[in-house]
């Protein structure tokens, strides 16, 4: 069984990302991808907010704006969902042609952080953990104790933590962004 599709086969963003990571050398200890700006993009393009999120979803299939009663289906994809209990929405992984398993995550009930994780097996000896996260745009600050469980070797974080900082392209940092930047620095976590 091949772990990656041949060049002539179509592959998704996740397969291409992992292939390129492995192709250039050792697996990085830490990688974070912070998506921000879906609502601003929608406002700028004069489209509905949900459409801005849909376009962001196509770029990095992660945040859903669905009712938990809606059955999400995409041909040839396994879908792992974590629906919000309030106001709809939630998180989702769309997985195609990968050997993976769900990761159990412990988040204190006092935290507003939403997270789900999968362990993707790159081959028989190597795996990488991918965590999909959302932190609502409220005034609560990110707790470094809660984040610590995600900042270990071979982890990729995707999602929207509503944290703004110059390290990931925001012109004006917010308090949550400053804290997250410090957490990343303290744990030698790279941000892309």
């Amino acid at each position: 069984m091949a772990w990656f599709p041949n060049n002539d086969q179509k592959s998704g963003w996740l397969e291409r990302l992992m292939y390129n990571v492995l192709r250039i050398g050792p697996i990085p200890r830490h990688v974070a991808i912070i998506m921000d700006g879906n609502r601003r993009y929608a406002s700028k393009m004069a489209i509905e907010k949900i459409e801005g999120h849909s376009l962001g979803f196509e770029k990095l299939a992660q945040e859903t704006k669905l009712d938990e009663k809606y059955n999400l289906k995409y041909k040839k994809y396994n879908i792992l969902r974590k629906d919000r209990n309030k106001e709809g929405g939630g998180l989702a992984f769309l997985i195609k042609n990968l050997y993976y398993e769900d990761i159990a995550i412990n988040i204190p009930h006092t935290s507003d952080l939403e997270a789900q994780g999968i362990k993707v097996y790159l081959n028989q000896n190597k795996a990488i953990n991918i965590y999909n996260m959302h932190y609502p745009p409220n005034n609560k600050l990110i707790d470094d104790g809660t984040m610590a469980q995600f900042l270990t070797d071979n982890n990729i974080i995707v999602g929207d933590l509503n944290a703004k900082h110059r390290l990931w392209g925001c012109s004006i940092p917010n308090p949550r962004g400053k804290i997250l930047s410090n957490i990343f620095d303290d744990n030698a976590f790279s941000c892309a």
Side-chain angles (χ1 to χ4, degrees):
M1 173 171 105
W3 288 97
F4 294 100
N6 297 327
N7 290 338
D8 59 340
Q9 292 177 318
K10 291 182 180 179
S11 58
W13 69 269
L14 185 57
E15 291 97 336
R16 289 189 308 271
L17 171 69
M18 288 190 296
Y19 175 78
N20 287 328
V21 165
L22 288 177
R23 189 177 55 137
I24 61 172
I27 296 174
R29 289 190 57 198
H30 308 288
V31 177
I33 301 169
I34 298 177
M35 291 193 53
D36 187 39
N38 291 338
R39 283 175 283 195
R40 283 191 304 277
Y41 177 78
S43 178
K44 181 179 175 181
M45 301 303 291
I47 58 177
E48 293 290 321
K49 288 180 184 177
I50 190 71
E51 182 64 19
H53 283 289
S54 294
L55 294 171
F57 184 83
E58 290 175 16
K59 295 293 181 187
L60 189 65
Q62 60 90 24
E63 186 175 351
T64 64
K65 295 292 181 189
L66 302 172
D67 185 291
E68 63 186 34
K69 295 173 189 160
Y70 180 76
N71 188 13
L72 178 63
K73 292 181 183 179
Y74 282 96
K75 245 183 188 176
K76 300 182 181 179
Y77 283 87
N78 292 331
I79 299 172
L80 295 177
R81 284 176 60 164
K82 182 175 182 187
D83 293 317
R84 278 189 201 121
N85 294 329
K86 55 187 179 215
E87 300 176 17
L91 304 171
F93 278 112
L94 278 71
I95 305 162
K96 183 178 180 181
N97 298 331
L98 292 174
Y99 181 60
Y100 70 93
E101 66 183 52
D102 210 358
I103 297 174
I105 298 174
N106 296 314
I107 298 175
H109 69 280
T110 55
S111 176
D112 285 342
L113 177 67
E114 297 174 83
Q116 67 179 157
I118 57 172
K119 179 183 288 278
V120 177
Y121 293 92
L122 305 175
N123 62 34
Q124 293 175 345
N125 300 317
K126 293 182 184 176
I128 193 162
N129 300 323
I130 303 174
Y131 293 100
N132 183 8
M133 298 182 178
H134 178 260
Y135 211 107
N138 56 25
N139 292 325
K140 286 188 178 178
L141 298 178
I142 292 177
D143 173 39
D144 57 350
T146 300
M147 289 300 295
Q149 67 182 307
F150 306 109
L151 302 176
T152 59
D153 290 351
N154 302 325
N155 285 350
I156 295 175
I157 297 173
V158 298
D160 185 358
L161 297 175
N162 286 294
K164 300 177 186 337
H165 198 277
R166 288 183 179 93
L167 283 175
W168 42 90
C170 299
S171 57
I172 300 172
N174 66 5
R176 190 182 289 171
K178 291 175 185 176
I179 290 171
L180 191 58
S181 173
N182 290 336
I183 292 170
F184 285 174
D185 285 345
D186 293 345
N187 291 278
F189 205 84
S190 299
C191 184

